[in-house]
Amino acid sequence: MLHAATDDTFRLDADFFDFTIIAIYFAVVIGIGVIARRQISTSLDFFLSGRSLPAWVTGLAFISANLGAVEIMGMSANGAEFGMATVHYFWIGAVPAMLFLGIVMMPFYYGSGVRSVPEFMRRRFGTGAHLVNAISFAVAQLLIAGINLYLLATIVNRLLGWPTLVSLVIAAAIVLSYTALGGLSAAIYNEVLQFFVIVAALLPLTIIALHKVGGWEGIQDKIKPSDDQLSSWPGTELTGIADPVLSVIGIVFGLGFVLSFGYWTTNFVEVQRAMASDSLSSARRAPIIGAFPKMFIPFIVIIPGIIAAIIVPELAALKAGEGAGDVKYNDAILLLMRDLLPNGMLGVAIAGLLASFMAGMAANISAFNTVFSYDIWQQYVVKEREDSYYTRIGRIATVAATFIAIGTAGIASNYSNLMNYLQTLFGFFNAPLFATFILGMLWKRMSATAGWTGLVSGTLAAIVVALLSEDALGSASLGVLNLKGQGASFVAAGAAFVVDILVSVIVTMFTGPRDEKDLEGLVYSLTPKESLVDPDEMHLPWWQSPPKLAGIGLVMVIILNIIFR
Amino acid sequence: MAADGKRTVGVFDIRIIIGGLIGVYGVILTLLGLLNNSDEELAKGDGLNINLWAGLALILVGVAFVAWARIRPLAVPDEQTSPDAKDEPHHR
C-alpha cells in the first residue's frame, strides 16, 4: 500500500499475523539471553563462550555475523544497480578469504591462545602497535555499529511507521539486553537463529520473484540497459573504472586481496566466532563451513535485487533515469517484499530482516567490548584485578557502546550511500592491519617500531586517497582523482596495503629486530609445526578435515565464477 | 548429570531452538495458506500459495532439526571435574 504525496516513503502493510510472528522472534531472542546467562561462570566463558561450541554453530555464526543490514540491503541494491558484477563481493572477495583464514591464519590465532587481534599485535610487536590497533579497532566497531543501527532504525521506520529516533532507541535497547545478559553465547545463538529465519524469508521471495519475471530467461530478456549486466567481468560499472583491465585489477587486488582478506582474516568480529570452537580443527573448520552457505547467498540477495529493478515500477523508472521520488536502490528488497509477499510470509521476512540488522550490530558491540576490556582497560588503565572485575567492565562497555552507537548512527545518516561509506572504513582500518599482520607473520626480522609506523602510515594513505577521490568521504572529498563509488575504496585499500608494506620494510632496516624466543607461535618460521595442526586431525573423516573441505570449497567457487563470468 | 560426567544441553541445544521457532512459523504460515487463500491474497504471490508451501517446508525443516537434536544429543564438557572430557568427541 502506497501513501502518495504527503509521505514519499512506502509502507509495508503488516497485519496481526505478521506482528505475531515478529513478537515470537523477539520473545525467543530475549529468552535465549536470559537462559544463557545462567550458564556463564568465568570471563573466558563470557567472551569466548568457553570454547565449547560445535563447528557447525560457529561456522554459521561466522557468516551470519556478516549477514547483517549491509549485506542484505547493500548487496541487493548493488544487484539492482550493477547486476551480476556484485557477485565479486562473494566469489572473489569473501569465499577465498574465508578459506585462507581457515587454512593459514586460524592455527596462529588458536595456537597462540590470543583472545583478540589486538592481543596478537601486542605479542608480536609490543605496546606501540597494540595500542594503535586496539584504539582504531574500537573506533571502527563503534562507527560500523552506528551504520547497522541507523539502517535498522530506518527499516523499522519504513515498515512500521515509528519515528526514527524511537526506532533507534528501541532497537538499541533490544540489542543491548541480549548481548549484556547473555554474552557471546547468546549473540552467537541468535545469529544462527536469524540466519535460518532470513533464509526462510529470502528463499521464497526469490522463488516468487523468479516466477513472476519468467525465470532466468525472463531476466535475460528484460534486464536493462543490456544483458551485459548478467556477466560479472570486467565489472566496470561496479568499480566505476572505465578501463576493463584496470577494473579487473581493482577487483582482484583491491576487493579480492586487500579488502576481503583484510576483512575476513583480521576482523575480530569474525575471528572471535571461530575462536569459540572446541578444538583447533573446529576453529579451522568454522570459516570453511561458513564459506559454503556464503557461496550461495548471492542467489537469494543479488538475484532478487536484479529482478526488483525489472518488476518494481519505481525501481525500473529509477534505473531508466526517470525521477522516481524518494525510492533508492537500497529499497530493492523492501519493495519486492511489499509487492510479492502475502501477510504471514511478510511477517517472517520482517522478523528476518530485523534480526539480521540486530545481529550485525550485536557483533560489533561484542567485539568492541572484548577489545575494550582486555586490550585497553586491562592493559593500560586498571591492571591485575580479579576476573569478575573485567567481566563487569565488559558489561559496562557494552552499555556505553550501545549509547555511542546511537550517536554514530547520526554520522551514518549523513551519507547517501552507506555501502561506499562502509567499504571506505574497511580501507582505513582493515587494509593496513592486514598488511602489518601478514608481514609480521611471515618475516621474523620485522621490528616493533615498524609495526606501529606501518599501521599509522597505511591508514593515512587510505585517508589521503579517500580525500582526493570524488566521493569516498562524502562532501569532504576533493575530487582530484577520477575515482568514485566502490572503485575509490578499492584503490584506497590497495594504497593502504602498499604504503604499509613499504614503510614497514624501510623502518625495519633502521631498527633492531625482536628477540626470537618472544616470537614463537607468532611468526611462521619460528613456530613448531606440530602446534599448527590438531593431533587428532589425522583421524578425521574427509568431511571434517579442514584442507579437504577448503579444497572442495575452492573448486566450487571457481566453477561458480566460470558459470557466471 | 550423566554417569560419564557429562550432561546434555537439552532444551538449550540450538537445534531445538531453531527447530522450534521454524516449526511454529511453519504451522502459522500453513494455517494462513489453508484458511486465508482468497484470489486477492494469491494474486500478490503471482498465483502461488506461498504461505502454504513455505509453511509446509518450514514444518519439515523444524521437525528435522528437532529430530537431529533428539537422535544425536549435544553434551556439555564438564571442565571442573574432568578436563579430559574436552578431547572426546562430544558433539556432531
Side-chain angles (χ1 to χ4, degrees), chain A residues 29-60:
Chain A
V29 161
I30 301 287
I32 293 176
V34 172
I35 302 170
R37 192 180 190 189
R38 294 190 200 144
Q39 304 210 339
I40 292 167
S41 46
T42 65
S43 72
L44 187 67
D45 237 22
F46 184 73
F47 289 111
L48 293 180
S49 304
R51 287 192 167 177
S52 66
L53 297 167
W56 71 271
V57 174
T58 40
L60 280 180

PDB file of all heavy atoms in Angstrom, chain A residues 29-60:
ATOM      1  N   VAL A  29      14.463 -14.506  21.227  1.00  0.00           N
ATOM      2  CA  VAL A  29      15.775 -13.861  21.326  1.00  0.00           C
ATOM      3  C   VAL A  29      16.084 -13.447  22.766  1.00  0.00           C
ATOM      4  O   VAL A  29      17.153 -13.737  23.299  1.00  0.00           O
ATOM      5  CB  VAL A  29      15.819 -12.625  20.396  1.00  0.00           C
ATOM      6  CG1 VAL A  29      16.944 -11.696  20.797  1.00  0.00           C
ATOM      7  CG2 VAL A  29      16.001 -13.069  18.956  1.00  0.00           C
ATOM      8  N   ILE A  30      15.120 -12.784  23.403  1.00  0.00           N
ATOM      9  CA  ILE A  30      15.343 -12.355  24.780  1.00  0.00           C
ATOM     10  C   ILE A  30      15.451 -13.567  25.695  1.00  0.00           C
ATOM     11  O   ILE A  30      16.285 -13.627  26.594  1.00  0.00           O
ATOM     12  CB  ILE A  30      14.190 -11.429  25.262  1.00  0.00           C
ATOM     13  CG1 ILE A  30      14.097 -10.195  24.364  1.00  0.00           C
ATOM     14  CG2 ILE A  30      14.390 -11.027  26.712  1.00  0.00           C
ATOM     15  CD1 ILE A  30      15.176  -9.183  24.520  1.00  0.00           C
ATOM     16  N   GLY A  31      14.622 -14.583  25.425  1.00  0.00           N
ATOM     17  CA  GLY A  31      14.660 -15.810  26.221  1.00  0.00           C
ATOM     18  C   GLY A  31      16.038 -16.465  26.204  1.00  0.00           C
ATOM     19  O   GLY A  31      16.553 -16.869  27.242  1.00  0.00           O
ATOM     20  N   ILE A  32      16.653 -16.530  25.029  1.00  0.00           N
ATOM     21  CA  ILE A  32      17.978 -17.141  24.939  1.00  0.00           C
ATOM     22  C   ILE A  32      18.971 -16.376  25.801  1.00  0.00           C
ATOM     23  O   ILE A  32      19.772 -16.967  26.520  1.00  0.00           O
ATOM     24  CB  ILE A  32      18.479 -17.170  23.477  1.00  0.00           C
ATOM     25  CG1 ILE A  32      17.626 -18.119  22.657  1.00  0.00           C
ATOM     26  CG2 ILE A  32      19.938 -17.609  23.425  1.00  0.00           C
ATOM     27  CD1 ILE A  32      17.993 -18.125  21.192  1.00  0.00           C
ATOM     28  N   GLY A  33      18.896 -15.045  25.734  1.00  0.00           N
ATOM     29  CA  GLY A  33      19.805 -14.240  26.538  1.00  0.00           C
ATOM     30  C   GLY A  33      19.669 -14.556  28.021  1.00  0.00           C
ATOM     31  O   GLY A  33      20.667 -14.726  28.725  1.00  0.00           O
ATOM     32  N   VAL A  34      18.428 -14.679  28.476  1.00  0.00           N
ATOM     33  CA  VAL A  34      18.200 -14.943  29.902  1.00  0.00           C
ATOM     34  C   VAL A  34      18.699 -16.337  30.289  1.00  0.00           C
ATOM     35  O   VAL A  34      19.380 -16.511  31.296  1.00  0.00           O
ATOM     36  CB  VAL A  34      16.703 -14.778  30.238  1.00  0.00           C
ATOM     37  CG1 VAL A  34      16.419 -15.232  31.657  1.00  0.00           C
ATOM     38  CG2 VAL A  34      16.288 -13.330  30.043  1.00  0.00           C
ATOM     39  N   ILE A  35      18.388 -17.342  29.441  1.00  0.00           N
ATOM     40  CA  ILE A  35      18.841 -18.699  29.770  1.00  0.00           C
ATOM     41  C   ILE A  35      20.363 -18.781  29.704  1.00  0.00           C
ATOM     42  O   ILE A  35      21.006 -19.368  30.566  1.00  0.00           O
ATOM     43  CB  ILE A  35      18.234 -19.736  28.799  1.00  0.00           C
ATOM     44  CG1 ILE A  35      16.713 -19.672  28.833  1.00  0.00           C
ATOM     45  CG2 ILE A  35      18.691 -21.134  29.174  1.00  0.00           C
ATOM     46  CD1 ILE A  35      16.048 -20.486  27.746  1.00  0.00           C
ATOM     47  N   ALA A  36      20.943 -18.151  28.680  1.00  0.00           N
ATOM     48  CA  ALA A  36      22.394 -18.245  28.501  1.00  0.00           C
ATOM     49  C   ALA A  36      23.119 -17.656  29.694  1.00  0.00           C
ATOM     50  O   ALA A  36      24.198 -18.104  30.063  1.00  0.00           O
ATOM     51  CB  ALA A  36      22.816 -17.523  27.216  1.00  0.00           C
ATOM     52  N   ARG A  37      22.526 -16.671  30.329  1.00  0.00           N
ATOM     53  CA  ARG A  37      23.180 -16.000  31.431  1.00  0.00           C
ATOM     54  C   ARG A  37      23.464 -16.957  32.588  1.00  0.00           C
ATOM     55  O   ARG A  37      24.467 -16.853  33.269  1.00  0.00           O
ATOM     56  CB  ARG A  37      22.302 -14.856  31.922  1.00  0.00           C
ATOM     57  CG  ARG A  37      23.069 -13.965  32.855  1.00  0.00           C
ATOM     58  CD  ARG A  37      22.225 -12.833  33.341  1.00  0.00           C
ATOM     59  NE  ARG A  37      23.088 -11.885  34.031  1.00  0.00           N
ATOM     60  CZ  ARG A  37      22.641 -10.870  34.724  1.00  0.00           C
ATOM     61  NH1 ARG A  37      21.351 -10.661  34.807  1.00  0.00           N
ATOM     62  NH2 ARG A  37      23.475 -10.066  35.325  1.00  0.00           N
ATOM     63  N   ARG A  38      22.545 -17.899  32.781  1.00  0.00           N
ATOM     64  CA  ARG A  38      22.729 -18.844  33.883  1.00  0.00           C
ATOM     65  C   ARG A  38      23.947 -19.728  33.677  1.00  0.00           C
ATOM     66  O   ARG A  38      24.465 -20.313  34.613  1.00  0.00           O
ATOM     67  CB  ARG A  38      21.504 -19.757  33.991  1.00  0.00           C
ATOM     68  CG  ARG A  38      20.278 -18.996  34.394  1.00  0.00           C
ATOM     69  CD  ARG A  38      19.172 -19.973  34.725  1.00  0.00           C
ATOM     70  NE  ARG A  38      17.896 -19.304  34.648  1.00  0.00           N
ATOM     71  CZ  ARG A  38      16.779 -19.876  34.209  1.00  0.00           C
ATOM     72  NH1 ARG A  38      16.796 -21.130  33.842  1.00  0.00           N
ATOM     73  NH2 ARG A  38      15.660 -19.193  34.170  1.00  0.00           N
ATOM     74  N   GLN A  39      24.387 -19.875  32.428  1.00  0.00           N
ATOM     75  CA  GLN A  39      25.485 -20.798  32.164  1.00  0.00           C
ATOM     76  C   GLN A  39      26.847 -20.116  32.186  1.00  0.00           C
ATOM     77  O   GLN A  39      27.854 -20.752  31.957  1.00  0.00           O
ATOM     78  CB  GLN A  39      25.278 -21.453  30.798  1.00  0.00           C
ATOM     79  CG  GLN A  39      23.926 -22.141  30.722  1.00  0.00           C
ATOM     80  CD  GLN A  39      23.943 -23.339  29.811  1.00  0.00           C
ATOM     81  OE1 GLN A  39      24.788 -23.449  28.961  1.00  0.00           O
ATOM     82  NE2 GLN A  39      23.005 -24.238  29.999  1.00  0.00           N
ATOM     83  N   ILE A  40      26.865 -18.810  32.451  1.00  0.00           N
ATOM     84  CA  ILE A  40      28.141 -18.101  32.411  1.00  0.00           C
ATOM     85  C   ILE A  40      28.840 -18.167  33.751  1.00  0.00           C
ATOM     86  O   ILE A  40      28.279 -17.834  34.778  1.00  0.00           O
ATOM     87  CB  ILE A  40      27.911 -16.629  32.049  1.00  0.00           C
ATOM     88  CG1 ILE A  40      27.429 -16.540  30.608  1.00  0.00           C
ATOM     89  CG2 ILE A  40      29.175 -15.830  32.209  1.00  0.00           C
ATOM     90  CD1 ILE A  40      26.889 -15.201  30.269  1.00  0.00           C
ATOM     91  N   SER A  41      30.088 -18.603  33.747  1.00  0.00           N
ATOM     92  CA  SER A  41      30.809 -18.597  35.011  1.00  0.00           C
ATOM     93  C   SER A  41      32.041 -17.699  34.942  1.00  0.00           C
ATOM     94  O   SER A  41      32.106 -16.657  35.585  1.00  0.00           O
ATOM     95  CB  SER A  41      31.195 -20.027  35.404  1.00  0.00           C
ATOM     96  OG  SER A  41      31.744 -20.692  34.286  1.00  0.00           O
ATOM     97  N   THR A  42      33.038 -18.062  34.152  1.00  0.00           N
ATOM     98  CA  THR A  42      34.263 -17.266  34.135  1.00  0.00           C
ATOM     99  C   THR A  42      34.218 -16.227  33.030  1.00  0.00           C
ATOM    100  O   THR A  42      33.339 -16.236  32.190  1.00  0.00           O
ATOM    101  CB  THR A  42      35.477 -18.176  33.878  1.00  0.00           C
ATOM    102  OG1 THR A  42      35.342 -18.710  32.563  1.00  0.00           O
ATOM    103  CG2 THR A  42      35.550 -19.279  34.878  1.00  0.00           C
ATOM    104  N   SER A  43      35.206 -15.314  33.022  1.00  0.00           N
ATOM    105  CA  SER A  43      35.191 -14.281  31.999  1.00  0.00           C
ATOM    106  C   SER A  43      35.532 -14.852  30.627  1.00  0.00           C
ATOM    107  O   SER A  43      35.090 -14.357  29.615  1.00  0.00           O
ATOM    108  CB  SER A  43      36.142 -13.147  32.363  1.00  0.00           C
ATOM    109  OG  SER A  43      37.469 -13.555  32.217  1.00  0.00           O
ATOM    110  N   LEU A  44      36.309 -15.933  30.598  1.00  0.00           N
ATOM    111  CA  LEU A  44      36.583 -16.564  29.306  1.00  0.00           C
ATOM    112  C   LEU A  44      35.283 -17.090  28.711  1.00  0.00           C
ATOM    113  O   LEU A  44      35.048 -17.025  27.513  1.00  0.00           O
ATOM    114  CB  LEU A  44      37.593 -17.712  29.466  1.00  0.00           C
ATOM    115  CG  LEU A  44      38.074 -18.315  28.137  1.00  0.00           C
ATOM    116  CD1 LEU A  44      38.894 -17.328  27.354  1.00  0.00           C
ATOM    117  CD2 LEU A  44      38.843 -19.591  28.366  1.00  0.00           C
ATOM    118  N   ASP A  45      34.425 -17.578  29.581  1.00  0.00           N
ATOM    119  CA  ASP A  45      33.114 -18.032  29.162  1.00  0.00           C
ATOM    120  C   ASP A  45      32.332 -16.918  28.498  1.00  0.00           C
ATOM    121  O   ASP A  45      31.726 -17.086  27.458  1.00  0.00           O
ATOM    122  CB  ASP A  45      32.339 -18.491  30.406  1.00  0.00           C
ATOM    123  CG  ASP A  45      31.894 -19.922  30.267  1.00  0.00           C
ATOM    124  OD1 ASP A  45      32.512 -20.637  29.479  1.00  0.00           O
ATOM    125  OD2 ASP A  45      30.940 -20.301  30.951  1.00  0.00           O
ATOM    126  N   PHE A  46      32.336 -15.769  29.161  1.00  0.00           N
ATOM    127  CA  PHE A  46      31.553 -14.650  28.661  1.00  0.00           C
ATOM    128  C   PHE A  46      32.059 -14.205  27.299  1.00  0.00           C
ATOM    129  O   PHE A  46      31.291 -13.922  26.389  1.00  0.00           O
ATOM    130  CB  PHE A  46      31.622 -13.491  29.658  1.00  0.00           C
ATOM    131  CG  PHE A  46      30.765 -12.318  29.282  1.00  0.00           C
ATOM    132  CD1 PHE A  46      29.389 -12.388  29.398  1.00  0.00           C
ATOM    133  CD2 PHE A  46      31.331 -11.149  28.817  1.00  0.00           C
ATOM    134  CE1 PHE A  46      28.593 -11.310  29.056  1.00  0.00           C
ATOM    135  CE2 PHE A  46      30.545 -10.067  28.475  1.00  0.00           C
ATOM    136  CZ  PHE A  46      29.184 -10.151  28.594  1.00  0.00           C
ATOM    137  N   PHE A  47      33.376 -14.134  27.146  1.00  0.00           N
ATOM    138  CA  PHE A  47      33.912 -13.578  25.913  1.00  0.00           C
ATOM    139  C   PHE A  47      34.010 -14.596  24.785  1.00  0.00           C
ATOM    140  O   PHE A  47      33.761 -14.283  23.642  1.00  0.00           O
ATOM    141  CB  PHE A  47      35.275 -12.944  26.162  1.00  0.00           C
ATOM    142  CG  PHE A  47      35.170 -11.675  26.945  1.00  0.00           C
ATOM    143  CD1 PHE A  47      35.634 -11.587  28.237  1.00  0.00           C
ATOM    144  CD2 PHE A  47      34.556 -10.566  26.375  1.00  0.00           C
ATOM    145  CE1 PHE A  47      35.510 -10.413  28.949  1.00  0.00           C
ATOM    146  CE2 PHE A  47      34.428  -9.392  27.086  1.00  0.00           C
ATOM    147  CZ  PHE A  47      34.913  -9.314  28.379  1.00  0.00           C
ATOM    148  N   LEU A  48      34.404 -15.783  25.088  1.00  0.00           N
ATOM    149  CA  LEU A  48      34.603 -16.748  24.005  1.00  0.00           C
ATOM    150  C   LEU A  48      33.732 -17.988  24.157  1.00  0.00           C
ATOM    151  O   LEU A  48      34.018 -19.029  23.589  1.00  0.00           O
ATOM    152  CB  LEU A  48      36.079 -17.149  23.929  1.00  0.00           C
ATOM    153  CG  LEU A  48      37.009 -16.017  23.498  1.00  0.00           C
ATOM    154  CD1 LEU A  48      38.433 -16.513  23.446  1.00  0.00           C
ATOM    155  CD2 LEU A  48      36.607 -15.467  22.146  1.00  0.00           C
ATOM    156  N   SER A  49      32.659 -17.859  24.905  1.00  0.00           N
ATOM    157  CA  SER A  49      31.719 -18.969  25.052  1.00  0.00           C
ATOM    158  C   SER A  49      32.399 -20.224  25.550  1.00  0.00           C
ATOM    159  O   SER A  49      31.982 -21.328  25.237  1.00  0.00           O
ATOM    160  CB  SER A  49      31.045 -19.273  23.712  1.00  0.00           C
ATOM    161  OG  SER A  49      30.432 -18.137  23.222  1.00  0.00           O
ATOM    162  N   GLY A  50      33.483 -20.058  26.310  1.00  0.00           N
ATOM    163  CA  GLY A  50      34.162 -21.214  26.862  1.00  0.00           C
ATOM    164  C   GLY A  50      34.705 -22.175  25.825  1.00  0.00           C
ATOM    165  O   GLY A  50      35.049 -23.300  26.133  1.00  0.00           O
ATOM    166  N   ARG A  51      34.821 -21.734  24.592  1.00  0.00           N
ATOM    167  CA  ARG A  51      35.336 -22.570  23.503  1.00  0.00           C
ATOM    168  C   ARG A  51      34.648 -23.921  23.440  1.00  0.00           C
ATOM    169  O   ARG A  51      35.281 -24.954  23.286  1.00  0.00           O
ATOM    170  CB  ARG A  51      36.838 -22.779  23.667  1.00  0.00           C
ATOM    171  CG  ARG A  51      37.633 -21.540  23.335  1.00  0.00           C
ATOM    172  CD  ARG A  51      39.105 -21.868  23.217  1.00  0.00           C
ATOM    173  NE  ARG A  51      39.820 -20.763  22.609  1.00  0.00           N
ATOM    174  CZ  ARG A  51      41.133 -20.734  22.429  1.00  0.00           C
ATOM    175  NH1 ARG A  51      41.857 -21.745  22.810  1.00  0.00           N
ATOM    176  NH2 ARG A  51      41.701 -19.709  21.871  1.00  0.00           N
ATOM    177  N   SER A  52      33.344 -23.946  23.595  1.00  0.00           N
ATOM    178  CA  SER A  52      32.687 -25.250  23.627  1.00  0.00           C
ATOM    179  C   SER A  52      31.615 -25.408  22.562  1.00  0.00           C
ATOM    180  O   SER A  52      30.850 -26.346  22.594  1.00  0.00           O
ATOM    181  CB  SER A  52      32.066 -25.481  25.003  1.00  0.00           C
ATOM    182  OG  SER A  52      31.025 -24.557  25.205  1.00  0.00           O
ATOM    183  N   LEU A  53      31.569 -24.519  21.593  1.00  0.00           N
ATOM    184  CA  LEU A  53      30.519 -24.647  20.590  1.00  0.00           C
ATOM    185  C   LEU A  53      30.984 -25.536  19.439  1.00  0.00           C
ATOM    186  O   LEU A  53      32.118 -25.462  19.019  1.00  0.00           O
ATOM    187  CB  LEU A  53      30.157 -23.260  20.045  1.00  0.00           C
ATOM    188  CG  LEU A  53      29.573 -22.309  21.075  1.00  0.00           C
ATOM    189  CD1 LEU A  53      29.540 -20.892  20.539  1.00  0.00           C
ATOM    190  CD2 LEU A  53      28.176 -22.751  21.459  1.00  0.00           C
ATOM    191  N   PRO A  54      30.088 -26.395  18.931  1.00  0.00           N
ATOM    192  CA  PRO A  54      30.471 -27.233  17.794  1.00  0.00           C
ATOM    193  C   PRO A  54      30.708 -26.403  16.533  1.00  0.00           C
ATOM    194  O   PRO A  54      30.216 -25.298  16.398  1.00  0.00           O
ATOM    195  CB  PRO A  54      29.282 -28.170  17.626  1.00  0.00           C
ATOM    196  CG  PRO A  54      28.149 -27.532  18.330  1.00  0.00           C
ATOM    197  CD  PRO A  54      28.735 -26.670  19.397  1.00  0.00           C
ATOM    198  N   ALA A  55      31.472 -26.976  15.593  1.00  0.00           N
ATOM    199  CA  ALA A  55      31.929 -26.208  14.424  1.00  0.00           C
ATOM    200  C   ALA A  55      30.791 -25.720  13.541  1.00  0.00           C
ATOM    201  O   ALA A  55      30.878 -24.637  12.984  1.00  0.00           O
ATOM    202  CB  ALA A  55      32.901 -27.048  13.600  1.00  0.00           C
ATOM    203  N   TRP A  56      29.719 -26.479  13.433  1.00  0.00           N
ATOM    204  CA  TRP A  56      28.673 -26.020  12.519  1.00  0.00           C
ATOM    205  C   TRP A  56      27.969 -24.794  13.071  1.00  0.00           C
ATOM    206  O   TRP A  56      27.514 -23.935  12.330  1.00  0.00           O
ATOM    207  CB  TRP A  56      27.685 -27.134  12.160  1.00  0.00           C
ATOM    208  CG  TRP A  56      26.762 -27.547  13.272  1.00  0.00           C
ATOM    209  CD1 TRP A  56      27.004 -28.504  14.197  1.00  0.00           C
ATOM    210  CD2 TRP A  56      25.468 -27.021  13.559  1.00  0.00           C
ATOM    211  NE1 TRP A  56      25.942 -28.600  15.060  1.00  0.00           N
ATOM    212  CE2 TRP A  56      24.980 -27.699  14.687  1.00  0.00           C
ATOM    213  CE3 TRP A  56      24.666 -26.036  12.973  1.00  0.00           C
ATOM    214  CZ2 TRP A  56      23.738 -27.424  15.246  1.00  0.00           C
ATOM    215  CZ3 TRP A  56      23.433 -25.758  13.534  1.00  0.00           C
ATOM    216  CH2 TRP A  56      22.975 -26.455  14.659  1.00  0.00           C
ATOM    217  N   VAL A  57      27.909 -24.693  14.422  1.00  0.00           N
ATOM    218  CA  VAL A  57      27.300 -23.492  15.013  1.00  0.00           C
ATOM    219  C   VAL A  57      28.192 -22.284  14.779  1.00  0.00           C
ATOM    220  O   VAL A  57      27.755 -21.240  14.295  1.00  0.00           O
ATOM    221  CB  VAL A  57      27.044 -23.677  16.523  1.00  0.00           C
ATOM    222  CG1 VAL A  57      26.559 -22.374  17.138  1.00  0.00           C
ATOM    223  CG2 VAL A  57      26.036 -24.774  16.769  1.00  0.00           C
ATOM    224  N   THR A  58      29.504 -22.431  15.105  1.00  0.00           N
ATOM    225  CA  THR A  58      30.390 -21.296  14.898  1.00  0.00           C
ATOM    226  C   THR A  58      30.552 -20.996  13.406  1.00  0.00           C
ATOM    227  O   THR A  58      30.696 -19.844  13.020  1.00  0.00           O
ATOM    228  CB  THR A  58      31.766 -21.532  15.544  1.00  0.00           C
ATOM    229  OG1 THR A  58      32.159 -22.871  15.327  1.00  0.00           O
ATOM    230  CG2 THR A  58      31.719 -21.259  17.017  1.00  0.00           C
ATOM    231  N   GLY A  59      30.500 -22.022  12.561  1.00  0.00           N
ATOM    232  CA  GLY A  59      30.598 -21.803  11.116  1.00  0.00           C
ATOM    233  C   GLY A  59      29.459 -20.943  10.603  1.00  0.00           C
ATOM    234  O   GLY A  59      29.660 -19.990   9.859  1.00  0.00           O
ATOM    235  N   LEU A  60      28.240 -21.257  11.047  1.00  0.00           N
ATOM    236  CA  LEU A  60      27.096 -20.455  10.613  1.00  0.00           C
ATOM    237  C   LEU A  60      27.121 -19.076  11.259  1.00  0.00           C
ATOM    238  O   LEU A  60      26.820 -18.075  10.621  1.00  0.00           O
ATOM    239  CB  LEU A  60      25.780 -21.160  10.952  1.00  0.00           C
ATOM    240  CG  LEU A  60      25.382 -22.263   9.989  1.00  0.00           C
ATOM    241  CD1 LEU A  60      24.072 -22.889  10.427  1.00  0.00           C
ATOM    242  CD2 LEU A  60      25.251 -21.714   8.576  1.00  0.00           C
TER     243      LEU A  60
END
